[in-house]
Amino acid sequence: AQSVTQLDSHVSVSEGTPVLLRCNYSSSYSPSLFWYVQHPNKGLQLLLKYTSAATLVKGINGFEAEFKKSETSFHLTKPSAHMSDAAEYFCALNQAGTALIFGKGTTLSVSS
Amino acid sequence: GAVVSQHPSRVICKSGTSVKIECRSLDFQATTMFWYRQFPKKSLMLMATSNEGSKATYEQGVEKDKFLINHASLTLSTLTVTSAHPEDSSFYICSLSRSGTYEQYFGPGTRLTVT
């Protein structure tokens, strides 16, 4: 069975400080992994994806994530938080052609 | 990427009525479509998967007679919530994918409120 665990339900940072959102996964196969962001009352926006190419993936808005098979992790990072980064973040995985399995989400708060 | 639209974006209906939500792919033919449901401050839960030319496959616990899914064409899928009740109030999101690929393209979602 496949699953995604987001280790923190809520992360609070100050503007200009680094962001770390943690995600661990479980899969019998080599999955593809994704990070999505959702602003209030909006749909999902893809930040980045890993599909068995480079293990360090760069996404939009300065976010990046590193796939670590030995740790079954795919943590999302950003060097410097911006107020506009405050949102809900979802880690997800799937195999080709199948539905995404989502983590429970992490709420990122950014204070000035 | 791909452009996916959902209509309506927001709907309020009375208990006992039915509501149809459309999901359209505007620039590619989607062989597979997914419908997700998201409760407030919760994650997305898969409701059903539909492949063009076949009936939808529903996840455990999702009533297929209540949530009717029609993969009408390679660019259109509809979700009809029949005899809606207040507990059906939720955010419904569709996604589309090309055959054999990993990436999914999400619609902007439909906020359903049943009074």
Side-chain angles (χ1 to χ4, degrees), chain B residues 79-94:
Chain B
L79 167 66
T80 301
V81 183
T82 62
S83 187
H85 290 283
E87 57 265 32
D88 299 325
S89 299
S90 194
F91 195 53
Y92 293 88
I93 306 175
C94 70

Side-chain angles (χ1 to χ4, degrees), chain A residues 30-32 34 36 38 41-44 46 49 51 88 90 94-105, chain B residues 10 32 34 36 38 41-46 49 51 91 93 97-98 100-104 106-109 111:
Chain A
S30 295
S32 285
F34 305 81
Y36 288 89
Q38 184 180 35
N41 296 311
K42 299 291 185 182
L44 296 174
L46 179 66
K49 62 183 177 183
T51 57
E88 190 77 15
F90 293 98
N94 75 346
Q95 297 170 259
T98 65
L100 286 163
I101 297 171
F102 286 88
K104 292 187 176 182
Chain B
R10 186 180 295 266
T32 305
F34 305 95
Y36 296 85
Q38 185 179 31
K41 301 188 183 300
K42 297 289 186 184
S43 187
L44 283 79
M45 300 298 295
L46 178 69
T49 302
N51 292 296
F91 195 53
I93 306 175
S97 72
R98 291 187 174 96
T101 64
Y102 291 95
E103 191 162 349
Q104 293 184 21
F106 284 86
R111 173 76 59 193

Side-chain angles (χ1 to χ4, degrees), chain A residues 23-76:
Chain A
C23 173
N24 284 100
Y25 70 92
S26 174
S27 177
S28 303
Y29 305 95
S30 295
S32 285
L33 291 155
F34 305 81
W35 275 99
Y36 288 89
V37 61
Q38 184 180 35
H39 288 90
N41 296 311
K42 299 291 185 182
L44 296 174
Q45 180 182 18
L46 179 66
L47 283 176
L48 48 80
K49 62 183 177 183
Y50 165 78
T51 57
S52 76
T55 56
L56 182 61
V57 181
K58 294 187 184 297
I60 62 172
N61 300 336
F63 284 95
E64 62 181 41
E66 186 172 6
F67 173 73
K68 292 187 177 180
K69 187 175 181 179
S70 61
E71 299 177 8
T72 60
S73 69
F74 189 58
H75 301 336
L76 181 71

Side-chain angles (χ1 to χ4, degrees), chain B residues 67-81:
Chain B
F67 298 99
L68 301 178
I69 291 172
N70 182 15
H71 196 138
S73 72
L74 288 173
T75 58
L76 173 65
S77 176
T78 60
L79 167 66
T80 301
V81 183

Side-chain angles (χ1 to χ4, degrees), chain B residues 23-26 28-33 51-53 71-77 96-97:
Chain B
C23 175
R24 290 184 184 273
S25 172
L26 301 183
F28 80 97
Q29 294 184 326
T31 52
T32 305
M33 297 182 174
N51 292 296
E52 192 270 338
H71 196 138
S73 72
L74 288 173
T75 58
L76 173 65
S77 176
L96 316 175
S97 72

